[in-house]
Amino acid sequence: MQLDKNALDVFVTVAETRNFRVAAERLGVTRPAISQALRRLEDRLNISLMRRTTRSISLTEAGERLYADVAPAMLQLNRAVSDITELAGEPRGQLRLAISSIAERIIGGELLASFIERYPQVELDITVTDDEFDIVAQGYDAGVRLGEIIAQDMIAVPVSSRQRQVTVAAPYYLARYGTPQHPNELIQHRCIGWRKGPGLSPYRWEFAENGREFDVAVNPQLTTNDMGVMIRTACAGGGITFGMEETFRSYIDRGELVTLLDAWLPTFAGFYLYFPSRKNLAAKLRALIDHVKM
């Protein structure tokens, strides 16, 4: 038998206050509405729950038993609804994110540090991964990826400027082995490559010439799935490497690495924060969207 939750709420409130007027004020309804709700509940159960006189209200045996069983459950249910309502209004709770390892602006530290300082009730749970998967099926609230690999049914909000991949090497390496003048010359150099995981082919380096895109299979002498290994080896003069300009920016600014073949490396759409729907967004996710917007 399905019962009206509102009618049960009325019953519990009247049982606690033993006063129709006070119960009506507490629930924000009229006294006739209280009487009608109780009458419908008793008719539904086919038993009297309360004894009513002009001066007092008392519970019948059935009413006492129902109150004892229902009141704790109604309290727990109302608390749960209140907690959910608070989540919708104030940024709080756990926010699970899947972020690309090359989304430097997001995982660089400063943006995340400023977010958790501003929203102390939000707990960030971040997985840094380059695997492509359904974030909804895996229980994530949102993800950050390059726009070109985000599913079309997702809502995507830009969180970076246009991006560019660059070819870099240490000045020491270039002084010793020379600087390639065209991407095709890279096959003659010692290169440091990246691959997503064991058993997968190294990432092919992508270029463009006169509006035509092409890639170069550089056959790297060193291949890794760790960007830190690539950077440290390149800075030590181990060879030429390739990746997102933001990843190398601090090393370029310090002169540890220099860019080459810039004319063949155009910009492209950058990173996006993506999630399944704009409808009924949790306050914690709305807060992150506002915080990371460009």
Side-chain angles (χ1 to χ4, degrees):
M1 176 187 296
Q2 291 186 344
L3 297 178
D4 183 353
K5 185 265 181 188
N6 291 330
L8 289 173
D9 214 10
V10 168
F11 166 73
V12 169
T13 304
V14 173
E16 290 174 346
T17 61
R18 304 298 171 102
N19 187 296
F20 276 29
R21 179 184 60 80
V22 175
E25 291 176 353
R26 181 180 296 183
L27 295 173
V29 297
T30 64
R31 290 178 64 179
I34 293 287
S35 296
Q36 291 171 12
L38 287 174
R39 190 175 302 111
R40 286 196 305 271
L41 180 61
E42 290 177 325
D43 289 345
R44 180 70 171 166
L45 296 174
N46 196 30
I47 195 169
S48 177
L49 300 174
M50 293 185 177
R51 304 182 190 91
R52 309 166 181 82
T53 69
T54 56
R55 292 186 298 261
S56 65
I57 298 172
S58 61
L59 298 179
T60 64
E61 180 183 2
E64 293 282 4
R65 291 180 60 179
L66 182 62
Y67 176 76
D69 291 337
V70 168
M74 293 299 295
L75 178 61
Q76 184 176 0
L77 178 60
N78 289 331
R79 283 178 177 174
V81 172
S82 177
D83 288 344
I84 295 300
T85 302
E86 288 181 10
L87 280 177
E90 178 186 356
R92 57 180 297 197
Q94 186 182 74
L95 187 61
R96 297 191 68 213
L97 306 173
I99 302 180
S100 169
S101 67
I102 56 176
E104 189 65 28
R105 177 175 179 265
I106 306 299
I107 63 175
E110 293 182 6
L111 186 145
L112 296 178
S114 61
F115 179 80
I116 59 179
E117 180 176 3
R118 184 174 181 180
Y119 300 104
Q121 299 303 314
V122 177
E123 176 191 341
L124 290 179
D125 186 330
I126 294 174
T127 298
V128 177
T129 175
D130 294 301
D131 292 337
E132 297 178 29
F133 57 87
D134 184 344
I135 59 170
V136 176
Q138 296 298 319
Y140 289 92
D141 296 289
V144 177
R145 290 285 184 274
L146 289 172
E148 61 190 27
I149 60 175
I150 296 175
Q152 292 185 352
D153 61 344
M154 289 287 173
I155 305 299
V157 177
V159 293
S160 79
S161 57
R162 290 184 65 82
Q163 298 292 299
R164 188 169 76 113
Q165 295 195 97
V166 293
T167 314
V168 296
Y172 166 77
Y173 174 87
L174 298 177
R176 186 173 181 183
Y177 296 103
T179 301
Q181 300 302 307
H182 189 278
N184 290 334
E185 297 177 17
L186 288 168
I187 60 176
Q188 303 167 12
H189 282 264
R190 183 181 304 133
C191 293
I192 304 164
W194 180 86
R195 56 172 166 72
K196 183 181 293 187
L200 301 177
S201 299
Y203 180 76
R204 295 172 71 91
W205 297 8
E206 300 173 336
F207 301 90
E209 185 173 23
N210 298 323
R212 180 183 64 86
E213 296 181 354
F214 66 98
D215 56 55
V216 177
V218 297
N219 191 26
Q221 187 172 353
L222 185 156
T223 304
T224 178
N225 68 336
D226 185 276
M227 188 61 66
V229 172
M230 292 172 59
I231 293 173
R232 290 189 291 272
T233 305
C235 288
I240 300 172
T241 195
F242 185 85
M244 300 297 292
E245 185 172 21
E246 282 190 357
T247 302
F248 300 123
R249 174 47 54 194
S250 61
Y251 302 91
I252 295 170
D253 291 344
R254 292 195 298 267
E256 296 179 60
L257 296 171
V258 296
T259 63
L260 48 145
L261 303 172
D262 289 343
W264 287 270
L265 293 163
T267 63
F268 51 86
F271 293 95
Y272 289 77
L273 176 71
Y274 67 101
F275 45 92
S277 174
R278 289 188 187 277
K279 186 177 180 181
N280 298 326
L281 282 181
K284 58 187 178 181
L285 182 53
R286 285 201 307 269
L288 180 67
I289 294 169
D290 292 339
H291 193 75
V292 302
K293 275 183 178 177
M294 291 296 295

